[in-house]
Amino acid sequence: AITRKDKPRHVKAWLWVSGMAACVVCGFLVWAITANVFAPKEPLFEQITMQASENRVTAAALSPNGEELAFGTLGGPAYLRRMSDGFTRPLRTPRGLQVDRIAWFSDSTRVLASGTIDHRDGVWVIPLSAGEPNLIGPEGKDGVPSPDGTQIALTSADGATISVIGVNGERPRQIRDGRGTSWFSALLWSPDGKRIS
């Protein structure tokens, strides 16, 4: 027979076991949710241009907000593609420009295109709506705008020097010379616009 003294012990043991079981179940649920939320995902590759092999893409860059893609083609102009619906239109690109690199201005109203026309390197500012392309870096390449959009960093045609110029081509100044020891490419500005790597 169970006495009154045994009942509280039995209830306490049952509460302890059920409390532990609830903790284990909750712990498992928290682990399962966080494992799925924070687990690294496999990258998903999606082809977004359909160019023929003779008109292949030579350079591409997503806009800062990720809504548009600017890309250059071997046999033609640069294009602007809207990512939401795929609508693509040509940009006002200098005739014969073979684009090697595209970089966006942070305000997403212009792109900087580096490339060659008749085997001569240059860097152009290309507006996305109204206006004509502007050659701001003759004999330059690998141009990239500063975060505030007021300066352009670029290399010389042979990659031996790094220069900075104003957005309209004014005040050019050489900041690094690697002749004989270094060649430069793929320039990047620091977020504060004070350094170039």
Side-chain angles (χ1 to χ4, degrees):
I2 299 176
T3 64
R4 286 196 157 158
K5 283 185 176 182
D6 293 334
K7 278 187 178 178
R9 269 191 205 153
H10 182 68
V11 170
K12 284 182 184 179
W14 182 85
L15 286 175
W16 186 84
V17 168
S18 62
M20 287 302 293
C23 286
V24 167
V25 168
C26 287
F28 176 76
L29 288 174
V30 168
W31 172 80
I33 290 169
T34 56
N36 284 331
V37 170
F38 298 111
K41 304 289 185 221
E42 286 294 318
L44 175 65
F45 294 98
E46 178 183 349
Q47 184 174 343
I48 55 178
T49 61
M50 304 292 181
Q51 303 299 108
S53 61
E54 64 272 4
N55 195 24
R56 66 184 183 275
V57 173
T58 58
L62 279 170
S63 62
N65 60 13
E67 294 178 2
E68 295 175 301
L69 173 75
F71 64 96
T73 59
L74 181 63
Y79 292 91
L80 188 67
R81 180 182 178 92
R82 196 165 47 216
M83 299 303 291
S84 61
D85 60 6
F87 175 74
T88 304
R89 66 178 174 90
L91 294 175
R92 289 187 171 176
T93 312
R95 187 175 181 86
L97 177 63
Q98 300 294 314
V99 178
D100 298 327
R101 181 175 183 182
I102 294 178
W104 284 82
F105 284 83
S106 60
D107 63 4
S108 297
T109 62
R110 303 165 287 174
V111 293
L112 201 59
S114 302
T116 58
I117 295 178
D118 296 327
H119 306 291
R120 295 184 67 189
D121 289 302
V123 177
W124 285 262
V125 174
I126 301 176
L128 300 185
S129 54
E132 294 296 322
N134 182 19
L135 176 62
I136 57 148
E139 304 301 324
K141 65 179 190 173
D142 292 326
V144 62
S146 63
D148 65 3
T150 61
Q151 299 181 87
I152 307 297
L154 55 107
T155 66
S156 57
D158 63 0
T161 62
I162 300 174
S163 297
V164 172
I165 60 175
V167 72
N168 295 314
E170 72 278 10
R171 300 181 316 275
R173 65 186 168 96
Q174 183 178 309
I175 61 169
R176 182 77 185 196
D177 185 347
R179 293 195 191 275
T181 59
S182 301
W183 287 267
F184 307 106
S185 65
L187 305 176
L188 292 172
W189 287 87
S190 63
D192 60 7
K194 294 180 179 177
R195 292 177 299 280
I196 298 169
S197 64

